[in-house]
Amino acid sequence: MAEPKADYDEPAQTKDTKYGIDMEYARNIHGLTKLAQVLLSLLAFLLCAFVSAGNVRSIFLAIVTFFGFFLNLILFFAFATPMHEKVSNICCLDINWYIADLAVSGVGVPILFLFSMLTVTSIFRPVILAAGIVGFIDMVAFAVNTFFAFQRYRANKQRTARQPEYELPE
């Protein structure tokens, strides 16, 4: 038997969570692109880091993809758990997670393009070539996430603009 849906005025008491992760976020386009970024960055890092054999260009791609992996993993868990709400409520840390996501993705696109291009045009080794191609695919995932992060940032900005910043005393 299906449970009756709650009214829109009533806040949802239970979320679809598994192991503390909001599965609703993990299944929508924002969570899926963030997971794609994490997995592709990890794959490109592993290909570059352990088989680079002194190729400086692939070492640079390994560094870039490691930072992409690490930052996107933090952002994924920030959005998939209540961490982004709790950390933003601390008075000394006023983090706008939407701008952080937009900045990481927006900066990552040209950097990944540059170092993937340098890696692909370096010495011909199949593994290094594969790492560069995975870097390009990761760049596409970063670009898609930049688009959706910008849309989410604009929607959040418009939502907060409609709320009054302060109330006048009566």
Side-chain angles (χ1 to χ4, degrees):
M1 195 182 330
E3 295 180 15
K5 290 189 175 185
D7 293 335
Y8 289 109
D9 296 334
E10 181 183 356
Q13 297 296 326
T14 59
K15 283 186 174 181
D16 184 20
T17 59
K18 192 177 226 182
Y19 303 111
I21 294 176
D22 182 12
M23 296 306 288
E24 191 173 314
Y25 172 77
R27 289 184 190 125
N28 72 12
I29 192 71
H30 303 292
L32 291 175
T33 55
K34 193 59 65 185
L35 279 175
Q37 285 176 314
V38 168
L39 294 176
L40 288 169
S41 293
L42 180 63
L43 180 62
F45 170 72
L46 292 175
L47 287 172
C48 283
F50 297 116
V51 199
S52 65
N55 186 0
V56 176
R57 294 176 178 183
S58 64
I59 291 173
F60 283 139
L61 182 64
I63 292 169
V64 167
T65 55
F66 175 75
F67 280 116
F69 165 74
F70 184 70
L71 291 173
N72 282 311
L73 191 65
I74 289 173
L75 286 170
F76 175 76
F77 282 115
F79 286 122
T81 62
M83 184 175 101
H84 70 282
E85 296 165 358
K86 291 180 180 177
V87 171
S88 295
N89 291 335
I90 297 173
C91 62
C92 61
L93 291 175
D94 191 21
I95 298 173
N96 189 340
W97 291 97
Y98 301 111
I99 292 178
D101 186 23
L102 183 62
V104 167
S105 296
V107 169
V109 171
I111 291 175
L112 273 170
F113 177 77
L114 174 70
F115 288 112
S116 295
M117 183 64 74
L118 289 174
T119 302
V120 168
T121 59
S122 68
I123 61 172
F124 180 74
R125 283 190 156 162
V127 176
I128 293 176
L129 183 65
I133 291 171
V134 171
F136 278 120
I137 297 169
D138 194 19
M139 180 202 65
V140 171
F142 268 74
V144 168
N145 189 57
T146 302
F147 174 74
F148 288 120
F150 181 70
Q151 282 186 335
R152 187 171 50 186
Y153 167 71
R154 279 188 35 197
N156 187 41
K157 187 177 175 183
Q158 290 172 353
R159 187 174 341 113
T160 56
R162 283 182 261 151
Q163 298 171 349
E165 289 186 27
Y166 60 89
E167 292 183 21
L168 295 173
E170 294 181 21

